[in-house]
PDB file of all heavy atoms in Angstrom:
ATOM      1  N   HIS Y 256     107.624  47.655 153.933  1.00 43.00           N
ATOM      2  CA  HIS Y 256     108.902  48.166 153.604  1.00 43.00           C
ATOM      3  C   HIS Y 256     109.804  47.014 153.224  1.00 43.00           C
ATOM      4  O   HIS Y 256     110.588  47.058 152.181  1.00 43.00           O
ATOM      5  CB  HIS Y 256     109.529  48.973 154.739  1.00 43.00           C
ATOM      6  CG  HIS Y 256     110.879  49.457 154.396  1.00 43.00           C
ATOM      7  ND1 HIS Y 256     111.160  50.485 153.604  1.00 43.00           N
ATOM      8  CD2 HIS Y 256     112.124  48.989 154.846  1.00 43.00           C
ATOM      9  CE1 HIS Y 256     112.477  50.754 153.499  1.00 43.00           C
ATOM     10  NE2 HIS Y 256     113.075  49.832 154.320  1.00 43.00           N
ATOM     11  N   THR Y 257     109.755  45.845 153.959  1.00 41.00           N
ATOM     12  CA  THR Y 257     110.741  44.795 153.629  1.00 41.00           C
ATOM     13  C   THR Y 257     110.381  44.136 152.303  1.00 41.00           C
ATOM     14  O   THR Y 257     111.213  43.826 151.534  1.00 41.00           O
ATOM     15  CB  THR Y 257     110.621  43.667 154.787  1.00 41.00           C
ATOM     16  OG1 THR Y 257     110.935  44.355 156.066  1.00 41.00           O
ATOM     17  CG2 THR Y 257     111.601  42.583 154.575  1.00 41.00           C
ATOM     18  N   SER Y 258     109.108  43.917 152.083  1.00 39.00           N
ATOM     19  CA  SER Y 258     108.702  43.267 150.801  1.00 39.00           C
ATOM     20  C   SER Y 258     109.068  44.104 149.612  1.00 39.00           C
ATOM     21  O   SER Y 258     109.531  43.646 148.593  1.00 39.00           O
ATOM     22  CB  SER Y 258     107.240  42.918 150.876  1.00 39.00           C
ATOM     23  OG  SER Y 258     106.436  44.127 151.041  1.00 39.00           O
ATOM     24  N   HIS Y 259     108.833  45.445 149.727  1.00 42.00           N
ATOM     25  CA  HIS Y 259     109.156  46.343 148.675  1.00 42.00           C
ATOM     26  C   HIS Y 259     110.576  46.331 148.346  1.00 42.00           C
ATOM     27  O   HIS Y 259     111.030  46.316 147.211  1.00 42.00           O
ATOM     28  CB  HIS Y 259     108.643  47.735 148.983  1.00 42.00           C
ATOM     29  CG  HIS Y 259     108.935  48.839 147.987  1.00 42.00           C
ATOM     30  ND1 HIS Y 259     108.400  48.815 146.749  1.00 42.00           N
ATOM     31  CD2 HIS Y 259     109.967  49.721 147.964  1.00 42.00           C
ATOM     32  CE1 HIS Y 259     108.960  49.787 146.068  1.00 42.00           C
ATOM     33  NE2 HIS Y 259     109.798  50.415 146.761  1.00 42.00           N
ATOM     34  N   HIS Y 260     111.349  46.341 149.425  1.00 40.00           N
ATOM     35  CA  HIS Y 260     112.870  46.287 149.247  1.00 40.00           C
ATOM     36  C   HIS Y 260     113.291  45.030 148.561  1.00 40.00           C
ATOM     37  O   HIS Y 260     114.167  45.080 147.736  1.00 40.00           O
ATOM     38  CB  HIS Y 260     113.492  46.433 150.646  1.00 40.00           C
ATOM     39  CG  HIS Y 260     114.895  46.873 150.585  1.00 40.00           C
ATOM     40  ND1 HIS Y 260     115.354  48.043 150.193  1.00 40.00           N
ATOM     41  CD2 HIS Y 260     116.057  46.164 150.901  1.00 40.00           C
ATOM     42  CE1 HIS Y 260     116.715  48.177 150.243  1.00 40.00           C
ATOM     43  NE2 HIS Y 260     117.125  47.012 150.689  1.00 40.00           N
ATOM     44  N   HIS Y 261     112.684  43.884 148.947  1.00 39.00           N
ATOM     45  CA  HIS Y 261     113.104  42.674 148.351  1.00 39.00           C
ATOM     46  C   HIS Y 261     112.639  42.592 146.885  1.00 39.00           C
ATOM     47  O   HIS Y 261     113.307  42.007 146.074  1.00 39.00           O
ATOM     48  CB  HIS Y 261     112.368  41.558 149.188  1.00 39.00           C
ATOM     49  CG  HIS Y 261     112.741  40.161 148.587  1.00 39.00           C
ATOM     50  ND1 HIS Y 261     114.010  39.620 148.769  1.00 39.00           N
ATOM     51  CD2 HIS Y 261     111.978  39.351 148.000  1.00 39.00           C
ATOM     52  CE1 HIS Y 261     113.989  38.410 148.158  1.00 39.00           C
ATOM     53  NE2 HIS Y 261     112.718  38.170 147.731  1.00 39.00           N
ATOM     54  N   ASP Y 262     111.509  43.105 146.664  1.00 40.00           N
ATOM     55  CA  ASP Y 262     110.988  42.984 145.211  1.00 40.00           C
ATOM     56  C   ASP Y 262     111.890  43.771 144.300  1.00 40.00           C
ATOM     57  O   ASP Y 262     112.055  43.417 143.161  1.00 40.00           O
ATOM     58  CB  ASP Y 262     109.568  43.489 145.146  1.00 40.00           C
ATOM     59  CG  ASP Y 262     108.635  42.535 145.868  1.00 40.00           C
ATOM     60  OD1 ASP Y 262     109.014  41.308 146.128  1.00 40.00           O
ATOM     61  OD2 ASP Y 262     107.454  42.962 146.252  1.00 40.00           O
ATOM     62  N   GLU Y 263     112.344  44.929 144.712  1.00 37.00           N
ATOM     63  CA  GLU Y 263     113.106  45.742 143.873  1.00 37.00           C
ATOM     64  C   GLU Y 263     114.537  45.194 143.633  1.00 37.00           C
ATOM     65  O   GLU Y 263     114.928  45.234 142.435  1.00 37.00           O
ATOM     66  CB  GLU Y 263     113.293  47.175 144.476  1.00 37.00           C
ATOM     67  CG  GLU Y 263     112.052  48.046 144.248  1.00 37.00           C
ATOM     68  CD  GLU Y 263     112.350  49.499 144.598  1.00 37.00           C
ATOM     69  OE1 GLU Y 263     113.473  49.790 144.872  1.00 37.00           O
ATOM     70  OE2 GLU Y 263     111.394  50.270 144.408  1.00 37.00           O
ATOM     71  N   HIS Y 264     115.121  44.685 144.624  1.00 39.00           N
ATOM     72  CA  HIS Y 264     116.520  44.261 144.504  1.00 39.00           C
ATOM     73  C   HIS Y 264     116.707  42.764 144.373  1.00 39.00           C
ATOM     74  O   HIS Y 264     117.556  42.348 143.663  1.00 39.00           O
ATOM     75  CB  HIS Y 264     117.294  44.752 145.707  1.00 39.00           C
ATOM     76  CG  HIS Y 264     117.257  46.244 145.813  1.00 39.00           C
ATOM     77  ND1 HIS Y 264     118.172  47.051 145.077  1.00 39.00           N
ATOM     78  CD2 HIS Y 264     116.580  47.057 146.636  1.00 39.00           C
ATOM     79  CE1 HIS Y 264     117.910  48.331 145.390  1.00 39.00           C
ATOM     80  NE2 HIS Y 264     116.986  48.320 146.270  1.00 39.00           N
ATOM     81  N   GLY Y 265     115.773  41.977 144.942  1.00 39.00           N
ATOM     82  CA  GLY Y 265     115.807  40.481 144.806  1.00 39.00           C
ATOM     83  C   GLY Y 265     117.149  39.962 145.243  1.00 39.00           C
ATOM     84  O   GLY Y 265     117.773  40.354 146.235  1.00 39.00           O
ATOM     85  N   ALA Y 266     117.663  38.999 144.493  1.00 37.00           N
ATOM     86  CA  ALA Y 266     118.922  38.307 144.866  1.00 37.00           C
ATOM     87  C   ALA Y 266     120.118  39.173 144.700  1.00 37.00           C
ATOM     88  O   ALA Y 266     121.175  38.958 145.361  1.00 37.00           O
ATOM     89  CB  ALA Y 266     119.050  37.046 144.058  1.00 37.00           C
ATOM     90  N   SER Y 267     119.986  40.112 143.829  1.00 36.00           N
ATOM     91  CA  SER Y 267     121.192  41.015 143.571  1.00 36.00           C
ATOM     92  C   SER Y 267     121.434  41.981 144.729  1.00 36.00           C
ATOM     93  O   SER Y 267     122.470  42.681 144.757  1.00 36.00           O
ATOM     94  CB  SER Y 267     120.984  41.914 142.280  1.00 36.00           C
ATOM     95  OG  SER Y 267     119.844  42.714 142.453  1.00 36.00           O
ATOM     96  N   HIS Y 268     120.555  42.109 145.730  1.00 37.00           N
ATOM     97  CA  HIS Y 268     120.718  42.940 146.890  1.00 37.00           C
ATOM     98  C   HIS Y 268     121.975  42.592 147.722  1.00 37.00           C
ATOM     99  O   HIS Y 268     122.588  43.482 148.150  1.00 37.00           O
ATOM    100  CB  HIS Y 268     119.500  42.855 147.688  1.00 37.00           C
ATOM    101  CG  HIS Y 268     119.570  43.734 148.998  1.00 37.00           C
ATOM    102  ND1 HIS Y 268     119.617  45.139 149.001  1.00 37.00           N
ATOM    103  CD2 HIS Y 268     119.734  43.349 150.263  1.00 37.00           C
ATOM    104  CE1 HIS Y 268     119.750  45.637 150.113  1.00 37.00           C
ATOM    105  NE2 HIS Y 268     119.815  44.550 150.984  1.00 37.00           N
ATOM    106  N   GLU Y 269     122.267  41.302 147.708  1.00 35.00           N
ATOM    107  CA  GLU Y 269     123.453  40.968 148.549  1.00 35.00           C
ATOM    108  C   GLU Y 269     124.772  41.465 148.010  1.00 35.00           C
ATOM    109  O   GLU Y 269     125.647  41.835 148.676  1.00 35.00           O
ATOM    110  CB  GLU Y 269     123.428  39.354 148.672  1.00 35.00           C
ATOM    111  CG  GLU Y 269     122.256  38.847 149.393  1.00 35.00           C
ATOM    112  CD  GLU Y 269     122.312  37.326 149.505  1.00 35.00           C
ATOM    113  OE1 GLU Y 269     123.269  36.760 148.963  1.00 35.00           O
ATOM    114  OE2 GLU Y 269     121.425  36.762 150.126  1.00 35.00           O
TER     115      GLU Y 269
END
Side-chain angles (χ1 to χ4, degrees):
H256 176 75
T257 304
S258 61
H259 176 73
H260 196 69
H261 177 76
D262 290 341
E263 279 193 2
H264 298 281
S267 63
H268 176 68
E269 295 181 358

